[in-house]
Amino acid sequence: MEIERKLNKLKAYFHGKKVIVAFSGGADSTLMALVAKDEAKEALAVTVDNGVMPSECIQKAEQIAGIIGIKHIVLKMDFLDDPAFKKNPPNRCYICKNKIYHKLKEIASDNNYDFVADGTNISDLLEDRPGIMVNLEKNIKTPLVKSELTSQEVRNILKDIGVEYHPSTTCFATRIPAGIDITPKKISRIAFAENLIRNLTGLNIVRVRDEGGLACIEVENVDKLIDKGLLHHLNSELKAVGFQKITMNIASYGDSENEMVVYKPCKDEKNKIMFETELPYAINISQTCHELETWGEVKCSPKMGIAMFEVEGRNITLFEKGKIVARRVKDQEDAQNLLIKVLPRIHRQK
């Protein structure tokens, strides 16, 4: 079975090693911690409290680590002391991850650990996550990527074996649009708003986005908020802590996974199947070609911003702007499996 093959690959990655797992208590790091606890020679889960994390995330991480039985520590860092982070640039997540992994690498070096493991999975490579560059620059390992596991597969594995994880582990800074300063006041009112909604509704996943004083509420089940009295109460309470206007996203927020590739008619080749996907970031063609050459035949033109790759009779074309086109594949599943193998070899531009 394919999922068993991937899980065995993950187990082999940790087997006999001395490892640090960057641990949030989310699905990805929970699966890694679980496997590392059983397979590694020694495993340490490290959670960083960066000063802008919801308190329940830290508490939940401690609880889950205790259930797993892995050695666990919480490091306290205050990112609001860092002017570069407070300015909230588009690469804020890079700044955050760089600070965290610099510290974890120090711990690994001082205590002779083999590597630091990050919970990036295959699905994450389809998203615009600047922090992923830190993994490459600091040689942080990504076992879930190496094992070709998607976010849905990770959740399915945990569900099948009955292991709990925290479905909401992002920091409050992600609620503030890039380019708008992060301040203690904004973090405090976001924290108050999310805790209030969570306590009143019992919902696990709650986001209150602070968009220039406008609060936009996002929850996993909007039906829980459709109550006139509740909405009136929330409006009064949130305005009392400084929000000027309260709105709600009527689409439910939660775990979901879109199709990795979509079918596109192949106009010039009637009997050929073609699928494509669009990455939200630019590709470094030169570095990507170098990685692909270890796997198959590559025709590379950095000047034109294009790379063509042949493997087992199938063709993939990568464009510098992020588009990936798969031709001569059997079907959507075949195209997706090919993409899963290609994604870890793609280098994004800084």
Side-chain angles (χ1 to χ4, degrees), residues 31-305:
L31 179 59
M32 287 202 307
L34 185 68
V35 173
K37 168 64 170 59
D38 292 338
E39 296 291 336
K41 179 172 65 177
E42 183 178 335
L44 171 66
V46 181
T47 301
V48 173
D49 182 355
N50 62 9
V52 289
M53 288 295 294
S55 59
E56 72 271 7
C57 288
I58 307 302
Q59 295 164 4
K60 199 71 175 178
E62 291 179 305
Q63 178 187 343
I64 293 170
I67 293 171
I68 291 172
I70 190 171
K71 183 179 177 182
H72 179 239
I73 61 173
V74 176
L75 296 180
K76 288 189 175 293
M77 303 171 71
D78 191 352
F79 284 14
L80 291 178
D81 286 340
D82 185 343
F85 180 81
K86 288 173 65 177
K87 286 182 180 178
N88 197 16
N91 70 334
R92 175 196 61 231
C93 291
Y94 174 89
I95 295 171
C96 174
K97 207 166 186 179
N98 193 49
K99 289 169 71 71
I100 290 173
Y101 285 149
H102 177 77
K103 185 63 178 177
L104 266 58
K105 288 283 284 188
E106 283 185 347
I107 295 173
S109 177
D110 292 345
N111 296 277
N112 298 313
Y113 283 91
D114 293 312
F115 59 81
V116 176
D118 168 86
T120 300
N121 62 57
I122 285 289
S123 303
D124 295 331
L125 302 183
L126 291 167
E127 300 177 5
D128 186 12
R129 297 189 175 213
I132 287 177
M133 294 298 296
V134 177
N135 298 340
L136 298 173
E137 295 170 0
K138 293 190 176 298
N139 194 29
I140 303 298
K141 304 303 183 183
T142 52
L144 299 179
V145 170
K146 295 296 184 182
S147 304
E148 302 174 2
L149 284 161
T150 67
S151 59
Q152 187 62 57
E153 288 172 332
V154 169
R155 294 193 296 268
N156 288 345
I157 291 171
L158 292 175
K159 182 179 179 181
D160 288 344
I161 59 182
V163 174
E164 180 185 5
Y165 65 91
H166 191 28
S168 177
T169 58
T170 59
C171 76
F172 289 132
T174 63
R175 321 296 200 258
I176 302 172
I180 298 177
D181 285 357
I182 301 170
T183 66
K185 180 180 179 180
K186 291 174 185 174
I187 296 299
S188 294
R189 71 187 183 191
I190 292 169
F192 171 82
E194 293 190 3
N195 285 331
L196 176 65
I197 296 169
R198 194 175 290 110
N199 291 334
L200 290 173
T201 64
L203 292 167
N204 288 317
I205 301 178
V206 177
R207 299 282 190 276
V208 176
R209 305 199 181 277
D210 189 335
E211 301 174 354
L214 183 150
C216 181
I217 301 171
E218 298 178 355
V219 296
E220 60 187 305
N221 181 359
V222 294
D223 291 344
K224 293 279 189 176
L225 289 178
I226 309 302
D227 177 90
K228 186 177 181 179
L230 174 61
L231 291 173
H232 179 74
H233 180 65
L234 289 177
N235 185 65
S236 299
E237 291 290 324
L238 269 56
K239 283 185 175 178
V241 295
F243 287 109
Q244 298 166 14
K245 187 176 181 180
I246 319 303
T247 65
M248 183 174 68
N249 187 337
I250 62 173
S252 294
Y253 182 99
D255 291 337
S256 64
E257 185 159 312
N258 295 324
E259 292 182 338
M260 295 182 71
V261 293
V262 295
Y263 174 73
K264 293 290 182 179
C266 195
K267 297 177 181 178
D268 298 327
E269 302 175 76
K270 293 182 179 179
N271 298 319
K272 301 296 182 182
I273 299 174
M274 183 174 81
F275 289 88
E276 70 176 44
T277 193
E278 192 89 33
L279 301 177
Y281 53 84
I283 297 173
N284 184 314
I285 293 295
S286 295
Q287 291 185 351
T288 299
C289 284
H290 180 71
E291 291 287 341
L292 290 172
E293 283 171 355
T294 63
W295 187 29
E297 182 182 347
V298 184
K299 294 180 180 178
C300 186
S301 176
K303 186 176 180 179
M304 296 179 62

Side-chain angles (χ1 to χ4, degrees), residues 290-334:
H290 180 71
E291 291 287 341
L292 290 172
E293 283 171 355
T294 63
W295 187 29
E297 182 182 347
V298 184
K299 294 180 180 178
C300 186
S301 176
K303 186 176 180 179
M304 296 179 62
I306 188 171
M308 296 186 68
F309 175 67
E310 296 279 346
V311 60
E312 298 175 355
R314 297 171 295 177
N315 171 274
I316 275 199
T317 305
L318 299 94
F319 298 88
E320 185 178 41
K321 291 186 177 181
K323 180 181 284 189
I324 303 175
V325 179
R327 297 182 178 87
R328 300 203 299 272
V329 291
K330 296 177 182 177
D331 49 29
Q332 186 170 17
E333 182 180 0
D334 187 32

